[in-house]
C-alpha cells in the first residue's frame, strides 16, 4: 500500500468548509426526464426468456432465472437484474427480441438490504411497474439485428408451372452469411424441433463459413439434411425469437445451404466414418423412409450390420414417392441416402415382408427388427361415387408420377383435401394439365376453413400462384357420375369441425350447396397404415392403442421385445419426427441387444 | 452559413460538407490544417466558444476521428470539424492555448482513447481512471465484458440458466 492510498480517503476532507454544490429540496418530487433510463420493467407475459438481454449486457448484470415451466417457444426463464452492476445503458432494452423489457424513469430507491437490489422485473412487484415514462426502444429507428430475412429466390410462377424443376434456388454465400448473422443464438428453437437439432450451433457454423463443422452438427441428430433442408415442416421457425419483431430465421434454408455446399465425396472424412467398427450383430429394417434410414444410419455408426427391406424399386419412401420433384429433387434424396448406404447398410429393393420373407423369419435371421412402414394407404371419403375408377387417391398418383408411370390427367380436376399432400397433388396435376392442355383447371376443396388449413401456408399460396383454385370450408357429399365417369363433386358448407369438447364433429349448413365440376376426382384426406405384412398370429402379440396404433415405449419398442416401430406409423406425420423416432429407436435397439430391459410399451 | 462554409473551403480545403440543420454544419479537414482553421474561426469569424471535443474509433480503418464543435454566440451557429488521424501512435496538435477547457478534453481523450496531445498541460495525469493498466477503455478493441468478468466478482448466490439447456432439462431430459 502506498502513502497515496492511505491519504486518498482524506482528500475529501479538504472540502469540509465549502458550500455544498447540491441543492437540498425535501419538499418537491424530482421525477426523471421523460425518457430517463431508470429501473427495469418487464412484461413477463410477452417475454419468452430468450436470454438475449443477458448476453448483450457488458456488465454481467443479468441472470436468467426460472419463472414457470418451459413450453415450446418460451424457456420459462426471466431476466433478473443485479443493480450492483447495471450501468443503465439500456442495451438489454434495445436488443430485447420481444420488446417486453423497458426502463421506467424512476431512479430513487432506498433500502438497507443490498440483496434487495437484485430482483426480477415484472415478477417481483415494484412501485414503478406501471410507470409509463422512461426508456423504450424507439420503434422503426434502429435494430441490433436485421429483422427482415434474406429473401430466397423462387422461380416465377410462369417459369415453374409447366415443369418439375426445383423452384427454390438456395442461398448464395453472401446471402447465407447475412441470414445466419441474424441469429441471436438463444436456442429456443431446439426444444421445438422434434429431433432437437443443434440449430444455433449450425447457424453459427454458417456464419463462420465452417461447412465441415456445420455438417458434423447436422449429422449428430439428422442424417437427411439435404432432404430436411428442403421440405422440413420447420416448426422451429414458428418459435424463433427473431420472429417476434420481424421474420424468423430461415433455419431450413440455412440447413440446406450447409448440405448443398459440402460435396458427397468428403462426407466420410468430415464425419469420421471411414472406418466403422463391426459388432457382428444384425438388424433388419422394414421400409427406407426417414425413420428406417435414420435408424440404419445411427445403428451403422454403432457397428451394427443393417439390412433394409424396401418394397419399391428405389429408397426414400414417401420422400421419394410422395413429395413432388419440384420441391425435393431426386439428386438431393440420393445424396443423403447414398451416404447412409456407404456406411455398409445393405438394402434389398422390391422386397415385401409377408410375401418375400416373413417377420418371423426376420426375427430368426436378425437380432432385432425395426419397422418404419409409414402411412401410405389412401383414405376414402366413402361418399357415393367414390368407388368410381376415375376417383383416385393422391398417394397413388404421386407414387406413379415418381415411378414414371402414365396417369390420367383430364382438363377439369377436383381434389378433396387441405393438407400438404393435397397441395402436392394439386400442384403436380396443375403442371401436367399445363403441359397437356396449356392451361390449369383444378379446384382443391377441404373441410377446414382457410385459416385452419393443415397445409403449410406457402404451399397454399404457391398453389394459387400456379393457377389452382383453393376453395376451403366445404364438406363433400357425393360424386356425380354420368356415363360411367365423374362430372363433379357436390359439397355443402362446413362451418366448424370440432364441437365444444374438441371432438371431431363437423357442423354443416345443408342450405349452402355448391357443385364443383370435374371429370376426375382425387381424394387426399389422410393416409392409413398398411399392416398387411404382419401376420394375424403376430398381431395377437402386439399391443394396440385406442386409435388402432401399435403401442411403443420411449424407445419405440413394441410389446414384442425384438420388434421396434417408428415414423409416421407411430408419430407425425412428417419427415423430422421419423428421423427423431429412428434415432431413438436405434439407441433402444442397441440397449435391447446389449440386454438392457426397458419399461413395457404403453 | 453558406458563406462561412465557402470560405472554409477556400481557405482550408474542407470536404464532406454536411449541413445537418440550419445552424449546424459538419466539415472534414486535414490534420495539419485543423488547428489553424479553428484558430481562424475563433479569432476572425466569431466562433468564440468551444462546445466539445470528442472522438470515434474507426477500428477497421485504423483511424480515430476527432470532432471539434465550436459555436458562434452571435449568430448562434455551430461548426463541427472532423479530423481523421492514424490510430497507431495517435497524436494530435494541442489546442489548449485556444480555450482553457481544452486541456481537460485532451486529458480525457488521452485516457479514454490513448490519443496524445504533446504539450497539453497535465495530459498524462489520470482523469477518472486512477490506477488503470489496461488499454484505453473507449477503444473498440477493449473487451468490456471480459474486463467485467475478470475484475468484478459475482455477488454470492447469483446463478443463471442457459435457455436451451434449461428447456432440455425440463422438457426432454432423457433424449
Ligand atoms: S431479451 Fe427480452 S424476451 Fe428475451 S429474455 Fe430478455 S426480456 Fe425476455
Ligand atoms: S434460430 Fe431463432 S430461435 Fe433459434 S437460436 Fe437463432 S434466434 Fe434463437
Amino acid at each position: 500500500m502506498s502513502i497515496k492510498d492511505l491519504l486518498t480517503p482524506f482528500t475529501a476532507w479538504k472540502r469540509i468548509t465549502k458550500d455544498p454544490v447540491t441543492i437540498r429540496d425535501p419538499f418537491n418530487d424530482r421525477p426523471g426526464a421523460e425518457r430517463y433510463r431508470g429501473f427495469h420493467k418487464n412484461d413477463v407475459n410477452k417475454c419468452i426468456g430468450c436470454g438475449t438481454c443477458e448476453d448483450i449486457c457488458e456488465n454481467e448484470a443479468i441472470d436468467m432465472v426460472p419463472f414457470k415451466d418451459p413450453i415450446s417457444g418460451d424457456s420459462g426463464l426471466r431476466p433478473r437484474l443485479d443493480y450492483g452492476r447495471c450501468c443503465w445503458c439500456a442495451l438489454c432494452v434495445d436488443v430485447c427480441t420481444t420488446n417486453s423489457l423497458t426502463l421506467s424513469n424512476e431512479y430513487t430507491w432506498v433500502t438497507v438490504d443490498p440483496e434487495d437490489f437484485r430482483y426480477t422485473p415484472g415478477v417481483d412487484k415494484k412501485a414503478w411497474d406501471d410507470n409509463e415514462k422512461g426508456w423504450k426502444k424507439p420503434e422503426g429507428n434502429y435494430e441490433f439485428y436485421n429483422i427482415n430475412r434474406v429473401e430466397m429466390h423462387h422461380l416465377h410462377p410462369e417459369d415453374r408451372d409447366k415443369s418439375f424443376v426445383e423452384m427454390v434456388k438456395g442461398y448464395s454465400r453472401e446471402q447465407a452469411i447475412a441470414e445466419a448473422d441474424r441469429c441471436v443464438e438463444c436456442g429456443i428453437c431446439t426444444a421445438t424441433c422434434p429431433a432437437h437439432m443443434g440449430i444455433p450451433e449450425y447457424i453459427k457454423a454458417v456464419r463462420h463459413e465452417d461447412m465441415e463443422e456445420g455438417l458434423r452438427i447436422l449429422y449428430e441428430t439428422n442424417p437427411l439434411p439435404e432432404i430436411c433442408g428442403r421440405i422440413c415442416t420447420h416448426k422451429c421457425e414458428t418459435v424463433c425469437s427473431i420472429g417476434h419483431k420481424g421474420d424468423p430465421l430461415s433455419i431450413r434454408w440455412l440447413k440446406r445451404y450447409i448440405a448443398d455446399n459440402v460435396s458427397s465425396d468428403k462426407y466420410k472424412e468430415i464425419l469420421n466414418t471411414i472406418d466403422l467398427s463391426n459388432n457382428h450383430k444384425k438388424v433388419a429394417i422394414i421400409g427406407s423412409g426417414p425413420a428406417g434410414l435414420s435408424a440404419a444410419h445411427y445403428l451403422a455408426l454403432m457397428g451394427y450390420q443393417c439390412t433394409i427391406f424396401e418394397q419399391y424399386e428405389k429408397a426414400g419412401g414417401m420422400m421419394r414417392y410422395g413429395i413432388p420433384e419440384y420441391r425435393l429433387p431426386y439428386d438431393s434424396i440420393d445424396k443423403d441416402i447414398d451416404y447412409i448406404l456407404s456406411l455398409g447398410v445393405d438394402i434389398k429393393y422390391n422386397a415385401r415382408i409377408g410375401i418375400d420373407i416373413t417377420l418371423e423369419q426376420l426375427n430368426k435371421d436378425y437380432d432385432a427388427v425395426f419397422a418404419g412402414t409409414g402411412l401410405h394407404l389412401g383414405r376414402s371419403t366413402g361418399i357415393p361415387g367414390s368407388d368410381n375408377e376415375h376417383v383416385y387417391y393422391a398417394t397413388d398418383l404421386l407414387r406413379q408420377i415418381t415411378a414414371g408411370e402414365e396417369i390420367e390427367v383430364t382438363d377439369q380436376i377436383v381434389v378433396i383435401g387441405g393438407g400438404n399432400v393435397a397441395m402436392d397433388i394439386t400442384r403436380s396435376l396443375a403442371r401436367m394439365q399445363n403441359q397437356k392442355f396449356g392451361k390449369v383447371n383444378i379446384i382443391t376443396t377441404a373441410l377446414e376453413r382457410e385459416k385452419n388449413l393443415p397445409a403449410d401456408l406457402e404451399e397454399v399460396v404457391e398453389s394459387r400462384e400456379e393457377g389452382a383454385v383453393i376453395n376451403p370450408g366445404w364438406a363433400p357429399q357425393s360424386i356425380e357420375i354420368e356415363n360411367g365417369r365423374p362430372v363433379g363433386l357436390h359439397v355443402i358448407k362446413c362451418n366448424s369441425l370440432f364441437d365444444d369438447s374438441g371432438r371431431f364433429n363437423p357442423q354443416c349448413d345443408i342450405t349452402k350447396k355448391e357443385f364443383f365440376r370435374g371429370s376426375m376426382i382425387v381424394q387426399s384426406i389422410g393416409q392409413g397404415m398398411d399392416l398387411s405384412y404382419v401376420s394375424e398370429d403376430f398381431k395377437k402379440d402386439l399391443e394396440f392403442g385406442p386409435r388402432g396404433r401399435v403401442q411403443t415405449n420411449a424407445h419405440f419398442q413394441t410389446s414384442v421385445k425384438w420388434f421396434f416401430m417408428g415414423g409416421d406409423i407411430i408419430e407425425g406425420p412428417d419427415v423430422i419426427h421419423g428421423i427423431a423416432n429412428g434415432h431413438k429407436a436405434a439407441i433402444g435397439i442397441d440397449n435391447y441387444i446389449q440386454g438392457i430391459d426397458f419399461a413395457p410399451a404403453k | 452559413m453558406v458563406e462561412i462554409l465557402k470560405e472554409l473551403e477556400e481557405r482550408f480545403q474542407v470536404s464532406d460538407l454536411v449541413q445537418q440543420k440550419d445552424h449546424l454544419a459538419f466539415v472534414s479537414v486535414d490534420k495539419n490544417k485543423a488547428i489553424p482553421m479553428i484558430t481562424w474561426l475563433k479569432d476572425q469569424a466569431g466562433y468564440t466558444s468551444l462546445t466539445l471535443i470528442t472522438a470515434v474509433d474507426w477500428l477497421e480503418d485504423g483511424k480515430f476521428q476527432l470532432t471539434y464543435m465550436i459555436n458562434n454566440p452571435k449568430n448562434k451557429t455551430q461548426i463541427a470539424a472532423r479530423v481523421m488521424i492514424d490510430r497507431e501512435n495517435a497524436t494530435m496538435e494541442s489546442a489548449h492555448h485556444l480555450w482553457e477547457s481544452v486541456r481537460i478534453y485532451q486529458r480525457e481523450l488521452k485516457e479514454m482513447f490513448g490519443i496524445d496531445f504533446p504539450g497539453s498541460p497535465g495530459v498524462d495525469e489520470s482523469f477518472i481512471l486512477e490506477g488503470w493498466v489496461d488499454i484505453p477503455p473507449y477503444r473498440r478493441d477493449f473487451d468490456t465484458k471480459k474486463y467485467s468478468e475478470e475484475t468484478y466478482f459475482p455477488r454470492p448466490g447469483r446463478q443463471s440458466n442457459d435457455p436451451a439447456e434449461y428447456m432440455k432439462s425440463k422438457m426432454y431430459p432423457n433424449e
Side-chain angles (χ1 to χ4, degrees):
Chain A
M1 191 181 277
S2 70
I3 193 83
K4 191 174 163 205
D5 289 340
L6 277 174
L7 294 177
T8 304
F10 297 102
T11 55
W13 289 88
K14 69 186 178 209
R15 290 186 228 283
I16 197 159
T17 55
K18 303 243 169 82
D19 279 341
V21 282
T22 48
I23 306 159
R24 200 184 285 266
D25 177 8
F27 303 111
N28 295 311
D29 264 357
R30 279 146 296 161
E34 192 92 356
R35 294 192 305 160
Y36 191 81
R37 301 193 300 242
F39 303 123
H40 289 72
K41 297 183 298 178
N42 192 13
D43 181 344
V44 285
N45 296 319
K46 216 164 139 193
C47 170
I48 53 167
C50 68
T52 310
C53 48
E54 176 190 23
D55 270 359
I56 202 170
C57 179
E58 298 274 286
N59 297 314
E60 307 232 304
I62 298 180
D63 291 329
M64 297 303 295
V65 300
F67 165 61
K68 58 177 193 182
D69 281 339
I71 51 168
S72 180
D74 180 354
S75 75
L77 301 167
R78 293 298 178 261
R80 188 179 177 96
L81 267 297
D82 179 350
Y83 280 148
R85 303 184 73 124
C86 174
C87 72
W88 286 275
C89 65
L91 281 177
C92 52
V93 170
D94 285 6
V95 82
C96 174
T97 56
T98 62
N99 281 341
S100 68
L101 199 63
T102 53
L103 299 180
S104 69
N105 74 341
E106 186 56 60
Y107 65 100
T108 52
W109 180 8
V110 180
T111 160
V112 288
D113 182 359
E115 287 307 316
D116 288 351
F117 292 120
R118 281 173 60 209
Y119 80 112
T120 311
V123 178
D124 302 330
K125 294 289 160 232
K126 294 290 168 214
W128 49 83
D129 283 347
D130 298 322
N131 182 340
E132 278 304 313
K133 290 183 183 155
W135 179 256
K136 296 179 191 59
K137 187 187 154 302
E139 233 161 274
N141 210 335
Y142 53 84
E143 296 290 347
F144 285 6
Y145 48 79
N146 192 343
I147 59 168
N148 302 315
R149 63 165 54 173
V150 175
E151 274 314 320
M152 173 62 87
H153 181 69
H154 286 53
L155 286 186
H156 283 298
E158 313 82 65
D159 297 330
R160 69 186 194 227
D161 55 12
K162 281 201 188 64
S163 83
F164 281 76
V165 169
E166 182 168 34
M167 48 178 285
V168 177
K169 288 284 140 232
Y171 277 145
S172 68
R173 176 176 161 269
E174 290 72 25
Q175 286 177 313
I177 294 172
E179 182 62 16
D181 203 36
R182 304 170 59 225
C183 172
V184 294
E185 290 182 29
C186 62
I188 285 266
C189 46
T190 294
T192 301
C193 170
H196 307 309
M197 295 192 71
I199 296 166
E201 290 81 18
Y202 71 67
I203 293 181
K204 187 180 195 163
V206 173
R207 198 162 52 234
H208 293 171
E209 295 192 73
D210 189 348
M211 294 304 117
E212 302 193 356
E213 176 65 6
L215 196 76
R216 279 190 288 269
I217 296 167
L218 296 182
Y219 270 84
E220 275 170 22
T221 46
N222 185 339
L224 301 171
E226 284 280 6
I227 295 172
C228 283
R230 288 176 165 75
I231 52 84
C232 185
T233 43
H234 55 91
K235 294 279 176 280
C236 53
E237 295 182 18
T238 63
V239 299
C240 173
S241 56
I242 301 306
H244 286 263
K245 284 200 283 197
D247 304 328
L249 264 280
S250 291
I251 301 174
R252 178 174 53 166
W253 300 144
L254 289 173
K255 174 162 49 218
R256 165 176 169 175
Y257 175 78
I258 297 174
D260 277 358
N261 284 285
V262 183
S263 91
S264 44
D265 52 331
K266 295 248 189 68
Y267 270 42
K268 285 193 141 185
E269 192 191 317
I270 296 171
L271 299 170
N272 193 18
T273 52
I274 295 172
D275 292 311
L276 288 176
S277 62
N278 182 347
N279 64 10
H280 304 289
K281 301 278 185 197
K282 290 156 61 188
V283 180
I285 290 168
I286 309 173
S288 63
L293 287 168
S294 169
H297 170 263
Y298 291 107
L299 285 165
L301 295 189
M302 292 186 259
Y304 289 92
Q305 179 58 51
C306 300
T307 305
I308 303 180
F309 294 84
E310 168 53 51
Q311 65 165 329
Y312 295 128
E313 230 166 72
K314 289 192 166 148
M318 273 297 182
M319 302 183 294
R320 185 184 300 273
Y321 291 103
I323 298 173
E325 197 185 354
Y326 60 84
R327 277 217 286 148
L328 180 57
Y330 302 131
D331 291 354
S332 312
I333 305 181
D334 291 339
K335 186 173 172 191
D336 282 348
I337 295 181
D338 288 349
Y339 168 69
I340 295 175
L341 297 183
S342 80
L343 302 177
V345 172
D346 195 22
I347 183 159
K348 297 196 188 313
Y349 296 106
N350 302 313
R352 300 198 61 138
I353 308 302
I355 297 171
D356 301 313
I357 184 166
T358 62
L359 258 184
E360 289 77 0
Q361 188 61 40
L362 288 182
N363 178 32
K364 289 201 187 98
D365 298 347
Y366 295 86
D367 295 285
V369 177
F370 175 79
T373 48
L375 306 173
H376 50 88
L377 281 191
R379 257 198 217 125
S380 172
T381 52
I383 56 175
S386 59
D387 50 359
N388 184 279
E389 58 174 318
H390 301 285
V391 176
Y392 297 93
Y393 293 116
T395 42
D396 290 347
L397 294 179
L398 287 166
R399 182 180 50 73
Q400 285 171 300
I401 294 171
T402 299
E405 293 167 23
E406 187 84 16
I407 63 161
E408 179 176 15
V409 180
T410 66
D411 59 354
Q412 207 173 30
I413 304 174
V414 177
V415 176
I416 308 171
N420 281 336
V421 178
M423 298 304 140
D424 284 342
I425 192 61
T426 300
R427 300 174 66 186
S428 296
L429 289 172
R431 282 167 169 73
M432 297 172 93
Q433 278 184 328
N434 232 328
Q435 287 166 355
K436 197 165 160 189
F437 307 106
K439 64 175 194 309
V440 178
N441 186 348
I442 187 161
I443 290 187
T444 300
T445 181
L447 272 180
E448 295 88 355
R449 314 252 246 152
E450 179 87 30
K451 63 177 193 311
N452 297 330
L453 279 177
D456 290 345
L457 180 65
E458 64 210 36
E459 288 291 311
V460 178
V461 171
E462 288 167 8
S463 302
R464 287 186 171 136
E465 284 174 2
E466 289 162 14
V469 174
I470 312 290
N471 190 347
W474 299 97
Q477 295 302 295
S478 64
I479 294 167
E480 183 144 338
I481 310 284
E482 259 177 46
N483 305 325
R485 358 184 12 117
V487 289
L489 174 75
H490 289 282
V491 294
I492 54 172
K493 192 81 216 164
C494 180
N495 291 323
S496 70
L497 279 185
F498 300 95
D499 60 21
D500 291 341
S501 56
R503 257 193 309 261
F504 183 73
N505 183 11
Q507 297 299 314
C508 296
D509 179 352
I510 46 167
T511 61
K512 283 204 191 118
K513 297 181 189 171
E514 197 53 80
F515 181 65
F516 297 134
R517 297 207 149 267
S519 47
M520 166 181 173
I521 313 281
V522 182
Q523 307 180 88
S524 179
I525 59 158
Q527 289 94 247
M529 60 181 169
D530 176 8
L531 278 188
S532 58
Y533 63 93
V534 183
S535 69
E536 287 309 314
D537 261 1
F538 191 89
K539 270 188 193 148
K540 285 193 201 110
D541 297 334
L542 277 183
E543 233 172 272
F544 287 85
R547 262 172 291 156
R549 282 200 174 179
V550 179
Q551 295 291 82
T552 54
N553 63 16
H555 290 94
F556 295 89
Q557 185 183 36
T558 67
S559 48
V560 177
K561 285 197 161 36
W562 54 267
F563 189 53
F564 290 70
M565 268 186 153
D568 286 355
I569 199 166
I570 302 295
E571 197 181 13
D574 61 23
V575 172
I576 191 70
H577 273 99
I579 290 170
N581 290 181
H583 191 176
K584 284 180 211 162
I587 297 166
I589 289 169
D590 180 47
N591 286 354
Y592 161 72
I593 292 179
Q594 290 191 48
I596 304 167
D597 230 7
F598 339 101
K602 62 168 163 27
Chain B
M1 293 195 76
V2 183
E3 301 83 65
I4 183 84
L5 293 177
K6 221 181 229 158
E7 189 146 7
L8 289 182
E9 258 183 323
E10 272 161 26
R11 284 177 183 268
F12 303 99
Q13 290 79 48
V14 298
S15 57
D16 306 322
L17 279 77
V18 179
Q19 176 114 26
Q20 196 96 356
K21 295 180 182 157
D22 287 349
H23 52 82
L24 170 66
F26 281 78
V27 298
S28 293
V29 59
D30 278 357
K31 182 178 174 183
N32 55 10
K33 292 190 183 124
I35 303 303
M37 180 179 93
I38 293 165
T39 311
W40 181 83
L41 279 165
K42 177 177 179 236
D43 294 345
Q44 312 289 328
Y47 286 82
T48 54
S49 163
L50 174 75
T51 309
L52 58 83
I53 309 176
T54 187
V56 180
D57 182 358
W58 297 103
L59 178 65
E60 292 79 1
D61 304 338
K63 298 276 181 203
F64 283 123
Q65 172 190 327
L66 282 165
T67 305
Y68 296 81
M69 201 177 243
I70 48 180
N71 182 275
N72 181 336
K74 286 227 177 69
N75 66 12
K76 298 199 166 39
T77 60
Q78 294 249 52
I79 289 176
R82 289 176 298 220
V83 186
M84 288 299 198
I85 63 173
D86 283 340
R87 202 171 176 278
E88 192 143 333
N89 296 323
T91 318
M92 179 65 191
E93 193 180 331
S94 175
H96 68 273
H97 54 286
L98 295 177
W99 289 279
E100 184 64 21
S101 57
V102 169
R103 62 189 181 94
I104 303 292
Y105 283 111
Q106 294 186 155
R107 207 169 124 200
E108 184 188 25
L109 289 164
K110 174 77 197 288
E111 180 162 285
M112 293 303 195
F113 288 92
I115 302 170
D116 198 9
F117 298 87
S120 184
V123 73
D124 292 324
E125 280 169 40
S126 57
F127 182 65
I128 54 169
L129 304 175
E130 266 173 89
W132 187 262
V133 288
D134 218 313
I135 63 169
Y138 278 4
R139 290 195 172 205
R140 280 184 40 231
D141 45 359
F142 175 72
D143 188 336
T144 316
K145 188 150 183 165
K146 183 161 157 278
Y147 181 83
S148 296
E149 274 162 14
E150 289 168 359
T151 315
Y152 305 112
F153 296 95
R155 181 173 278 277
R158 275 193 57 174
Q159 208 184 1
S160 193
N161 296 279
D162 175 71
E165 295 289 321
Y166 181 74
M167 290 174 93
K168 176 171 164 47
S169 74
K170 292 278 176 179
M171 295 168 81
Y172 53 101
N174 302 321
E175 288 172 25

